[in-house]
Amino acid sequence: MAGVYGESEVPLMEKATDRAEEIAQFLERMKIKQEQNGVCDETTISENGRHQCPILWRTRSLNAPSPIQQFGPCGRIMRNSAMVMTIQDPASQRLTWYKPPLSVLVIKKVRDAQVIQPFIQLVKWLIIEKRMLVFVEASVMEDSHVTSHSGFPLLKDKLMNFREGQDDLTDKIDFIICLGGDGTLLYASSLFQQSVPPVMAFHLGSLGFLTPFKFDNFQDQVTNVLEGHAALTLRSRLRCIIIRKDQETGKGSRPPTNLLVLNEVVIDRGPSPYLSNIDLYLDGKRITSVQGDGLIVSTPTGSTAYAVAAGASMIHPSVPAIMLTPICPHSLSFRPIVVPAGVELKIAVSKNSRNTAWVSFDGRKRQELFYGDSLRVTTSIYPVPSICAEDQIADWFASLDECLRWNDRKRQKHFDDPEDPTDLTPGLTHSSSSDTLDSLSERNEVCDN
């Protein structure tokens, strides 16, 4: 018994007299393991040292097991400094505040009158009840639907505003709340080209794959997050750098375009009627030329966006990877592939291409790639910390079910009162193994005669 549960847990098991007591002891062991493994922190433990957070039923890591370093009697991996790294288990990624959050950025969906009332309600509650400094876009202060709302005059002078591209929000925002669809989260990501504050997204849009929270009881949910009781999904982003031909040779005066994207960067043929002809390099080695309508380079988060519509697989956001998906390739064997998150991709217009290419970043900032230009793509060290409504696994599969109707079909009907419950073959085609053997023997006799 000690080999299974540990020596310190043997007395507990010996005292178990019934099933209920055994379950209670199991829960106690789970709480102890959570504390030892760092799943719970100071914000989830009361003054007497007891847990106030719910039991996390996950007992296994979301990370793959570390591979052994020795192969057979003689072979092993050469030891070097690059082998030393620490990868946190995604299941243990929980939000904690090392100081109380004081400022919050509220982003609402544009051109949607149904979001106005929840927006006013949330902002008023944050200012009056939570005494937080609330930032909004300058365009919100000019929106006629907002300014005409009866509750806005009381809030107008208490709101801070900013303009995208003009005001730097770095180190000014502690917390982000999005009201709308997936576009609000993508916009929030674009505002922070380095470290991103935790993002809580409420579903008030059309699809809402990345917005797991319902607005009905927002007070309790936001309070829970502000107290540090929430799981996080670290959504990786791609750092995209456009290097122009003159910059490649050192003659350019402008700095390279440097952007972070949450979903994908898309390279396509633009308005040209000809196939795009794009050279693709991986860590400096040319691996193929993309001939078709274009190429999608996406994060795991973006795998359920444009990429899945182009035939790619869906990847959980906690998986470290980059997905390459061709758009209508001129080859039936050109399938989407997944490469390690640590590689560097280089994409350039082929020398023999009939036309240039166009590139867009999360559907924005579209620009042309000319001959001699190149696009470099790597995984950024600045992910988007997306707050989970439940946990990383439950939220993702709930979105697959609700938004994409994943594997949604009518259930196959069962047979009505079958004579033999183990036999699922319809009566019209019923045959047993013995019948089959008998028929074969009869045929053999006829052939022998």
Side-chain angles (χ1 to χ4, degrees):
M1 188 69 72
V4 177
Y5 298 100
E7 294 180 356
S8 63
E9 297 173 355
V10 174
L12 289 176
M13 293 304 299
E14 292 177 349
K15 294 179 182 179
T17 57
D18 56 23
R19 181 62 175 165
E21 186 177 355
E22 185 177 341
I23 292 175
Q25 292 170 2
F26 169 77
L27 295 179
E28 186 66 20
R29 291 197 304 274
M30 288 292 297
K31 291 180 180 179
I32 294 173
K33 287 183 178 179
Q34 286 184 53
E35 185 175 12
Q36 292 174 344
N37 296 334
V39 174
C40 295
D41 52 44
E42 304 92 320
T43 62
T44 63
I45 301 178
S46 61
E47 294 180 356
N48 61 3
R50 307 302 295 172
H51 286 257
Q52 292 182 341
C53 62
I55 279 291
L56 300 179
W57 290 100
R58 183 173 311 288
T59 59
R60 299 186 63 184
S61 168
L62 289 181
N63 283 335
S66 299
I68 61 173
Q69 305 295 313
Q70 185 164 337
F71 312 107
C74 302
R76 65 172 296 119
I77 294 178
M78 181 183 297
R79 293 185 178 277
N80 58 70
S81 58
M83 291 176 58
V84 181
M85 63 179 182
T86 301
I87 301 177
Q88 183 180 4
D89 174 23
S92 68
Q93 292 168 354
R94 299 188 63 81
L95 175 64
T96 184
W97 307 97
Y98 62 87
K99 60 181 180 180
L102 301 177
S103 59
V104 56
L105 170 62
V106 179
I107 298 176
K108 76 170 190 69
K109 184 180 180 181
V110 297
R111 296 190 292 274
D112 189 345
Q114 295 182 350
V115 183
I116 304 302
Q117 178 60 34
F119 170 76
I120 297 293
Q121 191 177 356
L122 172 66
V123 169
K124 182 179 179 180
W125 180 78
L126 289 171
I127 293 176
I128 297 177
E129 298 294 331
K130 295 300 180 180
R131 300 185 180 277
M132 299 187 73
L133 185 63
V134 179
F135 284 78
V136 298
E137 300 169 81
S139 59
V140 172
M141 309 291 287
E142 303 164 359
D143 188 341
S144 60
H145 291 94
V146 176
T147 55
S148 62
H149 192 279
S150 58
F152 182 72
L154 298 175
L155 305 174
K156 182 178 180 180
D157 295 335
K158 299 178 181 179
L159 292 174
M160 303 292 293
N161 64 82
F162 73 96
R163 293 187 183 276
E164 182 187 8
Q166 298 181 14
D167 300 317
D168 185 11
L169 296 178
T170 304
D171 298 330
K172 294 181 180 179
I173 305 298
D174 300 326
F175 180 38
I176 302 174
I177 297 179
C178 295
L179 303 177
D182 295 347
T184 58
L185 188 62
L186 294 174
Y187 178 65
S189 169
S190 70
L191 294 175
F192 297 86
Q193 291 297 301
Q194 292 185 6
S195 178
V196 185
V199 183
M200 186 177 189
F202 286 92
H203 176 35
L204 293 171
S206 303
L207 188 62
F209 193 92
L210 306 178
T211 54
F213 288 93
K214 309 299 181 185
F215 192 76
D216 299 336
N217 59 335
F218 75 91
Q219 297 93 335
D220 294 338
Q221 296 181 90
V222 175
T223 299
N224 202 38
V225 171
L226 292 176
E227 293 176 354
H229 306 315
L232 286 175
T233 296
L234 298 184
R235 300 183 179 276
S236 63
R237 294 193 290 176
L238 298 176
R239 178 167 295 282
C240 306
I241 302 175
I242 293 181
I243 301 178
R244 298 297 179 182
K245 183 178 180 179
D246 56 351
Q247 295 167 344
E248 193 85 54
T249 58
K251 298 179 180 179
S253 58
R254 295 181 303 170
T257 302
N258 192 330
L259 294 170
L260 266 63
V261 299
L262 177 59
N263 264 358
E264 73 276 306
V265 52
V266 178
I267 307 94
D268 59 57
R269 59 190 176 93
S272 172
Y274 301 112
L275 290 175
S276 64
N277 196 341
I278 304 167
D279 289 335
L280 177 61
Y281 298 81
L282 193 151
D283 284 341
K285 182 179 180 180
R286 182 180 174 279
I287 57 174
T288 192
S289 288
V290 181
Q291 297 184 90
D293 282 351
L295 178 69
I296 305 170
V297 183
S298 60
T299 64
T301 295
S303 69
T304 51
Y306 191 2
V308 75
S313 296
M314 296 181 289
I315 306 176
H316 189 276
S318 294
V319 177
I322 298 176
M323 171 161 279
L324 304 173
T325 307
I327 307 172
C328 299
H330 206 254
S331 170
L332 296 179
S333 63
F334 195 174
R335 310 309 305 159
I337 61 172
V338 177
V339 297
V343 304
E344 181 185 66
L345 299 172
K346 175 184 173 183
I347 300 159
V349 178
S350 298
K351 294 180 179 179
N352 57 353
S353 176
R354 295 184 180 182
N355 54 291
T356 60
W358 288 78
V359 58
S360 59
F361 308 90
D362 277 343
R364 308 177 70 203
K365 302 184 185 299
R366 187 171 172 83
Q367 49 192 291
E368 191 171 5
L369 278 182
F370 299 95
Y371 299 102
D373 298 343
S374 64
L375 170 67
R376 311 292 175 92
V377 181
T378 58
T379 299
S380 170
I381 62 173
Y382 300 108
V384 173
S386 177
I387 298 173
C388 302
E390 189 172 347
D391 60 50
Q392 297 94 335
I393 299 298
D395 282 14
W396 194 65
F397 279 98
S399 294
L400 289 182
D401 180 48
E402 296 175 11
C403 302
L404 300 185
R405 300 299 180 190
W406 180 61
N407 198 28
D408 186 13
R409 58 151 289 176
K410 290 185 177 181
R411 301 285 294 182
Q412 187 181 42
K413 293 183 178 180
H414 60 80
F415 293 125
D416 296 329
D417 300 324
E419 296 179 2
D420 183 3
T422 63
D423 184 10
L424 300 180
T425 308
L428 292 177
T429 60
H430 176 79
S431 63
S432 64
S433 58
S434 58
D435 292 339
T436 305
L437 291 175
D438 291 341
S439 62
L440 287 175
S441 61
E442 292 177 0
R443 292 176 184 176
N444 290 335
E445 292 177 359
V446 172
C447 292
D448 292 340
N449 295 334

